[in-house]
Amino acid sequence: NLFVMSYATDFGTLFFPRYCSSCNRNLMHYEKAVCMHCLTHLPRLHMHDEHDNPIEKLFWGRIDVEAATAFLSMPRNGISHRLIHRLKYHNDQEVGERLGALFAQELLESARLKEIDVILPVPLHPKKLHVRGYNQCDCIARGMAETLGVEVSNNNLTRTHFNASQTRRGRISRWSNVKDNFWLRDPEKLENKKILLVDDVITTGATIEACATALRKVKGIQLYVAALAVPA
């Protein structure tokens, strides 16, 4: 019964403990990647149905998007910063899926972003993918797709040039660094689709703009943008 299963799971954590990806506390059997305390204190932005929100304003005059949003604010050394750092640099793919699922739960209640046909994670260059072993945006997209009930297309949009980290670059420099970096293997598969382009963190929007440049030639496409976080 459920009691026995719960007891067995809790007993198992004595020998194989699981820890919160943010605060490192022991997780209970019903917690996934992040403890309830940290989940309660996630700095959620709640801007999904806000027209002309800060993410959409970022793309004014640059690309046409139906709607754009972000899930979390990311103050340095805060909960969301620690979680995303774990996702990107410590192979904590579970936390990406968990946050993606939580993000998608909010989108299901959104009037503007709930009806998506396919999720398109921002790709890594193959060289970086080989070094890291996974694409953090794929993890986020998997969590979102399971909740939204849509497919993930993670091999159509391709990154063709290897670039150094963008962390210390300004907006113009970032755009110059990525503007010709993306192309589509099979544009026809995306025709007349509502596409949700997913990134982990949006700063200047240069990467999303470059992806949108590759996507704009697709017939009948409607582009939506979702970032897990934006710097505070």
Side-chain angles (χ1 to χ4, degrees):
N1 57 37
L2 291 177
F3 175 78
V4 172
M5 291 175 62
S6 175
Y7 179 81
T9 303
D10 287 339
F11 184 74
T13 60
L14 293 174
F15 300 97
F16 303 101
R18 298 159 53 246
Y19 302 103
C20 174
S21 295
S22 174
C23 68
N24 213 36
R25 296 178 182 175
N26 282 355
L27 292 175
M28 302 297 289
H29 71 272
Y30 53 82
E31 296 174 323
K32 296 180 181 179
V34 188
C35 71
M36 291 302 298
H37 174 81
C38 289
L39 285 182
T40 302
H41 290 86
L42 282 175
R44 302 186 188 221
L45 290 168
H46 299 293
M47 63 168 63
H48 315 316
D49 284 328
E50 179 185 336
H51 290 273
D52 299 336
N53 64 53
I55 305 302
E56 293 179 358
K57 288 180 179 179
L58 194 61
F59 298 113
W60 281 359
R62 299 166 67 184
I63 58 174
D64 292 326
V65 296
E66 302 295 325
T69 192
F71 181 40
L72 302 172
S73 173
M74 193 178 70
R76 187 160 185 81
N77 298 322
I79 293 173
S80 52
H81 185 271
R82 291 194 297 271
L83 292 174
I84 291 173
H85 191 270
R86 289 272 307 174
L87 167 62
K88 291 184 70 169
Y89 304 112
H90 294 278
N91 195 24
D92 195 342
Q93 299 183 51
E94 185 182 14
V95 77
E97 294 180 9
R98 179 69 169 130
L99 292 176
L102 292 170
F103 191 1
Q105 286 173 9
E106 289 192 359
L107 296 187
L108 283 175
E109 300 175 3
S110 164
R112 299 196 301 159
L113 289 113
K114 64 181 179 180
E115 295 181 357
I116 297 297
D117 295 318
V118 60
I119 297 175
L120 206 64
V122 171
L124 289 179
H125 186 273
K127 184 184 293 185
K128 183 173 285 188
L129 183 61
H130 176 74
V131 172
R132 184 171 292 174
Y134 64 99
N135 177 4
Q136 69 275 7
C137 293
D138 284 351
C139 304
I140 299 164
R142 283 198 302 270
M144 297 182 78
E146 185 174 350
T147 300
L148 294 175
V150 300
E151 66 172 316
V152 176
S153 175
N154 57 9
N155 57 11
N156 198 337
L157 184 63
T158 305
R159 197 164 195 150
T160 59
H161 294 85
F162 179 78
N163 300 111
S165 173
Q166 299 250 85
T167 304
R168 298 183 183 277
R169 293 177 179 267
R171 175 175 169 176
I172 301 301
S173 179
R174 284 176 184 241
W175 168 240
S176 298
N177 200 39
V178 299
K179 62 184 176 130
D180 299 315
N181 274 11
F182 301 93
W183 71 284
L184 287 167
R185 296 180 188 272
D186 193 353
E188 290 79 13
K189 285 189 176 180
L190 299 178
E191 287 183 357
N192 302 309
K193 301 283 189 182
K194 294 181 179 179
I195 305 296
L196 183 64
L197 185 59
V198 171
D199 205 354
D200 55 350
V201 179
I202 286 181
T203 305
T204 67
T207 299
I208 293 293
E209 184 178 357
C211 290
T213 299
L215 289 165
R216 68 172 49 151
K217 297 177 183 179
V218 180
K219 178 183 175 182
I221 196 172
Q222 294 183 54
L223 183 61
Y224 298 78
V225 173
L228 189 62
V230 289

